[in-house]
Amino acid sequence: MDDMIERAALFSRAAHQAVGQRRKYTGEPYWQHPVAVAEIVSAVEAVTPEMIAAAFLHDVLEDTDVTPMDIKECFGQRVAILVQELTDQFTDPEMGNRAHRKALERDRLAEISPEAQTIKYADLIDNTGSIVARAPGFARVYLAEKRQLLEVMEGGDQALRRKAWSVLVEGEAKVHGVAN
């Protein structure tokens, strides 16, 4: 494993453990999610070490005390930019209701780099299965948001985008099956 990738894996795990973060619907240690996202990204044909490192780090700015400067100092400017592209910008409830904030975020994500979009596809793939399996009520809202996001986020790895669409459609079928 590339040194930067190994350092990013350890950094991510330590950052998420330091705040005691756990997966919302499973209770598993949160650091397992970035590992899964990095594994998905690693299989992409045109992957770079910076993309894999950013996949490991994609949630640290939102969920931990890590700063953008910490990322830049430890992993370089390219990784820092990717992580910042993947960090939700519209989280303050004062900016409007969830639907409004998600629309703003969707418009922003449509414009991020192809590399960051590729990582976001992997994030959606990993999150969708967990949410559909454990929170079917919320899954209806989540899947509708992700459908709208995938409709506009077209610049990343196309094979992974197709996989994200497939996982989304499977999730929708399961959720609608639960409702019937």
Side-chain angles (χ1 to χ4, degrees):
M1 184 185 301
D2 182 278
D3 179 58
M4 177 176 41
I5 294 169
E6 189 171 328
R7 287 186 296 111
L10 293 170
F11 187 100
S12 172
R13 182 175 180 159
H16 290 292
Q17 284 183 321
V19 296
Q21 190 176 11
R22 302 196 79 73
R23 297 276 329 247
K24 188 173 189 175
Y25 299 107
T26 66
E28 299 168 334
Y30 192 86
W31 61 265
Q32 292 175 358
H33 167 63
V35 168
V37 172
E39 287 175 358
I40 294 167
V41 170
S42 295
V44 170
E45 190 172 310
V47 71
T48 65
E50 291 81 9
M51 289 171 66
I52 299 169
F56 275 113
L57 300 165
H58 77 275
D59 281 335
V60 297
L61 296 181
E62 287 175 25
D63 299 337
T64 75
D65 297 329
V66 173
T67 68
M69 187 57 70
D70 295 333
I71 300 293
K72 184 177 178 183
E73 288 176 0
C74 293
F75 302 100
Q77 177 139 346
R78 183 66 192 136
V79 173
I81 289 169
L82 289 170
V83 173
Q84 286 182 287
E85 285 182 299
L86 293 160
T87 300
D88 283 351
Q89 304 296 312
F90 302 102
T91 58
D92 186 346
E94 303 238 345
M95 299 176 111
N97 65 21
R98 180 182 174 96
H100 179 70
R101 292 191 317 269
K102 290 298 181 179
L104 292 171
E105 193 62 33
R106 181 177 58 247
D107 292 346
R108 186 187 72 77
L109 289 168
E111 302 299 323
I112 63 175
S113 69
E115 296 86 0
Q117 286 190 10
T118 297
I119 298 164
K120 187 65 177 175
Y121 299 153
D123 184 40
L124 297 176
I125 290 166
D126 188 59
N127 280 331
T128 297
S130 174
I131 291 170
V132 167
R134 294 172 181 88
F138 174 66
R140 289 178 183 85
V141 172
Y142 175 83
L143 293 170
E145 292 169 351
K146 297 318 159 205
R147 175 173 281 280
Q148 292 173 341
L149 180 57
L150 284 172
E151 287 171 353
V152 300
M153 204 172 62
E154 303 174 315
D157 179 81
Q158 291 305 296
L160 200 56
R161 183 171 184 256
R162 286 189 297 275
K163 173 71 174 168
W165 270 109
S166 175
V167 169
L168 173 76
V169 170
E170 289 171 20
E172 289 172 333
K174 286 180 184 174
V175 167
H176 294 303
V178 169
N180 294 337

